[in-house]
Amino acid sequence: MKNACPAQQASRGVVIRVAVVGWMLTAAAAGAAVPTLGGLMNHVNIGIEPVSNPSSGQPTFRFVAGVDDFKPLGETLVIPEGPFDAPYDVLNGKAYNAQYGWLRSGRWGLLPGMTMVIEQVDASPGLEIYEGGLGADRGGTGVIEGSPHSLAPIFGTDGSPTRWGWGTYDSGLTMTHHWVATQTPGPHFATYSLYVRDDATGGLSNLYEPGTVTLRWENPLAFVVGDFDGSGSVEQGDLNLVLNHWGAVTTSNVPDGWVAHLPDGLIDQNELNAVLNNWGAQASPSTNLAVVPEPTASSLMLIGVAVVTRRRIR
């Protein structure tokens, strides 16, 4: 059973019903339809180094990786301004980033029958990764252009395979920016194994030895319960979203401006409670906020939820 609205407990022997009618305030403005990468491109350069391997009878190479702009905490995840249009709607309600781009470094390549594979072998809890494509800065704006971004779940997200085929002899190794998303605050990481598969045998290529690389991200802002518009605090914009879309079915349509804590099913008393019980709460860096005290009767009147009717309990 759902919890009663705090206003329903304001007077003994009285039930207060909230009727969402005649609401005149405007909902929060809709955000961008397509996200940016989150900042300047930061290439993950995949190169090779020679390895002495007398037993193989032929020269071999090992994969090595380096990041253009190394940062100890990695790239900063940004809170979206969404809701975003499909296929980017998988980022709605999450901090995200797509600055890292896989890039071939040097003159090495693949032979026919080879596939370059990147496999995620470890990652922090709550990290989601979606397939991207070519990205561009356009003077530092991070605007997306080039090859399509499918936003299909990869690297174990939503039960997807942990292996991702970057390219083959025929398709090449195109620079690719995947999308990382999470609602979990704090530092995040993902460790990858880089290797070449022999498609005929399914085993590793005798020419290239595997290498590893770890990428890092930082989500500096916790999502506050009731902060539906992602502004960083629970305020009028969040109340507008609830009241202007009261009763809406969210499984098939996300209201414009609703970017965090997407409701599962109907927008109803649960969402209203989240706003009223957390009114004025603000996000703080990498910290889950405690719920602020429930609003008083006078503050509820100032909020002006809707028309109130009363019925005495018998």
Side-chain angles (χ1 to χ4, degrees):
M1 180 178 294
K2 296 182 179 178
N3 295 327
C5 172
Q8 290 179 318
Q9 303 169 359
S11 176
R12 185 176 182 181
V14 173
V15 174
I16 299 179
R17 291 175 177 164
V18 178
V20 186
V21 294
W23 189 253
M24 301 302 294
L25 296 180
T26 304
V34 175
T36 65
L37 299 178
L40 293 172
M41 288 190 296
N42 197 3
H43 297 130
V44 183
N45 301 295
I46 308 302
I48 59 173
E49 62 181 7
V51 178
S52 176
N53 190 355
S55 62
S56 67
Q58 63 180 12
T60 58
F61 303 90
R62 178 187 298 117
F63 285 111
V64 292
V67 179
D68 277 350
D69 182 16
F70 175 78
K71 303 171 185 176
L73 295 179
E75 296 297 348
T76 301
L77 302 176
V78 296
I79 293 181
E81 298 177 355
F84 298 126
D85 292 340
Y88 299 98
D89 54 345
V90 297
L91 304 177
N92 287 336
K94 304 165 188 173
Y96 72 89
N97 190 280
Q99 288 179 255
Y100 287 126
W102 299 102
L103 183 66
R104 177 172 54 181
S105 176
R107 295 193 167 208
W108 66 274
L110 301 175
L111 298 176
M114 290 183 175
T115 297
M116 178 72 193
V117 177
I118 300 176
E119 180 176 358
Q120 184 171 287
V121 295
D122 195 12
S124 52
L127 193 67
E128 302 173 9
I129 303 184
Y130 299 92
E131 188 176 44
L134 185 63
D137 285 335
R138 250 190 229 174
T141 63
V143 172
I144 301 166
E145 62 182 19
S147 60
H149 293 227
S150 72
L151 276 294
I154 57 175
F155 294 140
T157 301
D158 292 340
S160 60
T162 57
R163 300 177 180 89
W164 174 72
W166 185 10
T168 65
Y169 172 79
D170 296 322
S171 65
L173 302 170
T174 305
M175 180 179 68
T176 303
H177 288 255
H178 295 316
W179 296 86
V180 173
T182 187
Q183 282 193 322
T184 305
H188 289 272
F189 77 94
T191 299
Y192 299 96
S193 176
L194 317 168
Y195 58 90
V196 170
R197 183 184 67 214
D198 184 325
D199 295 335
T201 65
L204 297 181
S205 166
N206 293 326
L207 182 60
Y208 295 110
E209 294 186 8
T212 60
V213 62
T214 296
L215 303 181
R216 299 186 183 277
W217 301 265
E218 171 75 7
N219 181 9
L221 200 61
F223 287 89
V224 183
V225 175
D227 180 21
F228 300 132
D229 62 6
S231 66
S233 63
V234 182
E235 32 66 45
Q236 191 68 52
D238 305 301
L239 185 61
N240 292 351
L241 281 175
V242 173
L243 297 179
N244 279 308
H245 300 284
W246 188 268
V249 179
T250 60
T251 52
S252 57
N253 182 43
V254 178
D256 288 344
W258 200 304
V259 300
H261 299 291
L262 303 180
D264 183 15
L266 295 177
I267 297 174
D268 55 15
Q269 193 70 48
N270 278 345
E271 286 66 52
L272 182 59
N273 289 350
V275 171
L276 299 183
N277 290 340
N278 296 281
W279 189 265
Q282 295 184 336
S284 62
S286 300
T287 303
N288 285 315
L289 297 181
V291 174
V292 300
E294 294 187 3
T296 63
S298 59
S299 65
L300 285 171
M301 292 176 64
L302 291 174
I303 292 173
V305 175
V307 177
V308 177
T309 62
R310 298 188 177 189
R311 171 177 61 87
R312 185 162 304 277
I313 298 176
R314 295 185 181 274

mmCIF file of all heavy atoms in Angstrom, residues 276-295:
data_model
loop_
_atom_site.group_PDB
_atom_site.id
_atom_site.type_symbol
_atom_site.label_atom_id
_atom_site.label_comp_id
_atom_site.label_asym_id
_atom_site.label_seq_id
_atom_site.Cartn_x
_atom_site.Cartn_y
_atom_site.Cartn_z
ATOM 1 N N LEU A 276 7.241 16.532 -1.899
ATOM 2 C CA LEU A 276 6.870 17.206 -0.660
ATOM 3 C C LEU A 276 7.762 16.809 0.505
ATOM 4 O O LEU A 276 8.134 17.645 1.332
ATOM 5 C CB LEU A 276 5.406 16.898 -0.328
ATOM 6 C CG LEU A 276 4.367 17.366 -1.361
ATOM 7 C CD1 LEU A 276 2.968 17.063 -0.869
ATOM 8 C CD2 LEU A 276 4.520 18.850 -1.668
ATOM 9 N N ASN A 277 8.133 15.535 0.581
ATOM 10 C CA ASN A 277 8.960 15.071 1.691
ATOM 11 C C ASN A 277 10.408 15.527 1.593
ATOM 12 O O ASN A 277 11.157 15.440 2.568
ATOM 13 C CB ASN A 277 8.922 13.546 1.789
ATOM 14 C CG ASN A 277 7.574 13.035 2.264
ATOM 15 O OD1 ASN A 277 6.798 13.767 2.860
ATOM 16 N ND2 ASN A 277 7.300 11.771 1.992
ATOM 17 N N ASN A 278 10.830 15.977 0.401
ATOM 18 C CA ASN A 278 12.222 16.389 0.206
ATOM 19 C C ASN A 278 12.327 17.834 -0.266
ATOM 20 O O ASN A 278 13.358 18.238 -0.811
ATOM 21 C CB ASN A 278 12.905 15.459 -0.803
ATOM 22 C CG ASN A 278 13.004 14.041 -0.301
ATOM 23 O OD1 ASN A 278 13.866 13.709 0.502
ATOM 24 N ND2 ASN A 278 12.091 13.185 -0.745
ATOM 25 N N TRP A 279 11.285 18.618 -0.068
ATOM 26 C CA TRP A 279 11.247 19.997 -0.549
ATOM 27 C C TRP A 279 12.461 20.781 -0.025
ATOM 28 O O TRP A 279 12.746 20.805 1.163
ATOM 29 C CB TRP A 279 9.958 20.669 -0.094
ATOM 30 C CG TRP A 279 9.742 22.018 -0.715
ATOM 31 C CD1 TRP A 279 10.073 23.224 -0.182
ATOM 32 C CD2 TRP A 279 9.146 22.285 -1.979
ATOM 33 N NE1 TRP A 279 9.716 24.234 -1.035
ATOM 34 C CE2 TRP A 279 9.148 23.688 -2.147
ATOM 35 C CE3 TRP A 279 8.612 21.475 -2.976
ATOM 36 C CZ2 TRP A 279 8.628 24.308 -3.280
ATOM 37 C CZ3 TRP A 279 8.097 22.093 -4.107
ATOM 38 C CH2 TRP A 279 8.107 23.488 -4.264
ATOM 39 N N GLY A 280 13.219 21.385 -0.945
ATOM 40 C CA GLY A 280 14.377 22.188 -0.582
ATOM 41 C C GLY A 280 15.679 21.427 -0.494
ATOM 42 O O GLY A 280 16.745 22.044 -0.351
ATOM 43 N N ALA A 281 15.644 20.097 -0.586
ATOM 44 C CA ALA A 281 16.886 19.315 -0.523
ATOM 45 C C ALA A 281 17.754 19.632 -1.731
ATOM 46 O O ALA A 281 17.265 19.868 -2.829
ATOM 47 C CB ALA A 281 16.567 17.826 -0.469
ATOM 48 N N GLN A 282 19.068 19.626 -1.530
ATOM 49 C CA GLN A 282 20.006 19.933 -2.598
ATOM 50 C C GLN A 282 21.078 18.862 -2.695
ATOM 51 O O GLN A 282 21.432 18.231 -1.698
ATOM 52 C CB GLN A 282 20.668 21.294 -2.367
ATOM 53 C CG GLN A 282 19.696 22.467 -2.435
ATOM 54 C CD GLN A 282 20.409 23.796 -2.309
ATOM 55 O OE1 GLN A 282 21.504 23.875 -1.759
ATOM 56 N NE2 GLN A 282 19.783 24.845 -2.802
ATOM 57 N N ALA A 283 21.582 18.674 -3.912
ATOM 58 C CA ALA A 283 22.645 17.695 -4.132
ATOM 59 C C ALA A 283 23.962 18.243 -3.609
ATOM 60 O O ALA A 283 24.210 19.441 -3.644
ATOM 61 C CB ALA A 283 22.759 17.369 -5.614
ATOM 62 N N SER A 284 24.794 17.351 -3.116
ATOM 63 C CA SER A 284 26.139 17.717 -2.696
ATOM 64 C C SER A 284 27.113 16.756 -3.341
ATOM 65 O O SER A 284 26.747 15.634 -3.684
ATOM 66 C CB SER A 284 26.271 17.667 -1.177
ATOM 67 O OG SER A 284 26.038 16.350 -0.712
ATOM 68 N N PRO A 285 28.367 17.163 -3.568
ATOM 69 C CA PRO A 285 29.320 16.316 -4.284
ATOM 70 C C PRO A 285 29.492 14.939 -3.650
ATOM 71 O O PRO A 285 29.824 14.819 -2.471
ATOM 72 C CB PRO A 285 30.624 17.123 -4.200
ATOM 73 C CG PRO A 285 30.173 18.529 -4.054
ATOM 74 C CD PRO A 285 28.913 18.447 -3.210
ATOM 75 N N SER A 286 29.233 13.903 -4.453
ATOM 76 C CA SER A 286 29.473 12.511 -4.077
ATOM 77 C C SER A 286 28.850 12.146 -2.737
ATOM 78 O O SER A 286 29.408 11.367 -1.964
ATOM 79 C CB SER A 286 30.976 12.238 -4.024
ATOM 80 O OG SER A 286 31.552 12.474 -5.281
ATOM 81 N N THR A 287 27.702 12.701 -2.407
ATOM 82 C CA THR A 287 27.063 12.433 -1.131
ATOM 83 C C THR A 287 25.588 12.181 -1.335
ATOM 84 O O THR A 287 24.910 12.943 -2.008
ATOM 85 C CB THR A 287 27.229 13.631 -0.174
ATOM 86 O OG1 THR A 287 28.617 13.897 -0.008
ATOM 87 C CG2 THR A 287 26.612 13.328 1.176
ATOM 88 N N ASN A 288 25.074 11.103 -0.765
ATOM 89 C CA ASN A 288 23.645 10.861 -0.774
ATOM 90 C C ASN A 288 23.019 11.668 0.351
ATOM 91 O O ASN A 288 23.370 11.513 1.513
ATOM 92 C CB ASN A 288 23.347 9.375 -0.562
ATOM 93 C CG ASN A 288 23.639 8.576 -1.807
ATOM 94 O OD1 ASN A 288 23.266 8.973 -2.902
ATOM 95 N ND2 ASN A 288 24.325 7.457 -1.661
ATOM 96 N N LEU A 289 22.082 12.528 -0.011
ATOM 97 C CA LEU A 289 21.507 13.421 0.978
ATOM 98 C C LEU A 289 20.464 12.726 1.829
ATOM 99 O O LEU A 289 19.702 11.899 1.354
ATOM 100 C CB LEU A 289 20.858 14.624 0.275
ATOM 101 C CG LEU A 289 21.819 15.513 -0.508
ATOM 102 C CD1 LEU A 289 21.039 16.661 -1.115
ATOM 103 C CD2 LEU A 289 22.908 16.055 0.399
ATOM 104 N N ALA A 290 20.403 13.102 3.102
ATOM 105 C CA ALA A 290 19.327 12.636 3.973
ATOM 106 C C ALA A 290 18.066 13.391 3.627
ATOM 107 O O ALA A 290 18.110 14.524 3.140
ATOM 108 C CB ALA A 290 19.709 12.874 5.431
ATOM 109 N N VAL A 291 16.939 12.764 3.866
ATOM 110 C CA VAL A 291 15.664 13.409 3.585
ATOM 111 C C VAL A 291 15.455 14.544 4.562
ATOM 112 O O VAL A 291 15.665 14.401 5.763
ATOM 113 C CB VAL A 291 14.520 12.392 3.709
ATOM 114 C CG1 VAL A 291 13.175 13.075 3.561
ATOM 115 C CG2 VAL A 291 14.677 11.307 2.654
ATOM 116 N N VAL A 292 15.039 15.701 4.058
ATOM 117 C CA VAL A 292 14.776 16.833 4.933
ATOM 118 C C VAL A 292 13.452 16.608 5.637
ATOM 119 O O VAL A 292 12.643 15.781 5.219
ATOM 120 C CB VAL A 292 14.724 18.146 4.122
ATOM 121 C CG1 VAL A 292 16.039 18.384 3.423
ATOM 122 C CG2 VAL A 292 13.583 18.116 3.109
ATOM 123 N N PRO A 293 13.182 17.339 6.736
ATOM 124 C CA PRO A 293 11.936 17.137 7.461
ATOM 125 C C PRO A 293 10.721 17.367 6.567
ATOM 126 O O PRO A 293 10.760 18.135 5.619
ATOM 127 C CB PRO A 293 12.017 18.201 8.572
ATOM 128 C CG PRO A 293 13.469 18.471 8.732
ATOM 129 C CD PRO A 293 14.074 18.307 7.369
ATOM 130 N N GLU A 294 9.630 16.655 6.889
ATOM 131 C CA GLU A 294 8.411 16.800 6.120
ATOM 132 C C GLU A 294 7.890 18.223 6.229
ATOM 133 O O GLU A 294 8.054 18.895 7.251
ATOM 134 C CB GLU A 294 7.340 15.830 6.637
ATOM 135 C CG GLU A 294 7.704 14.381 6.398
ATOM 136 C CD GLU A 294 6.577 13.458 6.763
ATOM 137 O OE1 GLU A 294 5.515 13.967 7.136
ATOM 138 O OE2 GLU A 294 6.759 12.241 6.664
ATOM 139 N N PRO A 295 7.269 18.744 5.168
ATOM 140 C CA PRO A 295 6.780 20.111 5.187
ATOM 141 C C PRO A 295 5.677 20.281 6.219
ATOM 142 O O PRO A 295 4.890 19.381 6.468
ATOM 143 C CB PRO A 295 6.259 20.323 3.755
ATOM 144 C CG PRO A 295 6.004 18.954 3.237
ATOM 145 C CD PRO A 295 7.010 18.066 3.897
#
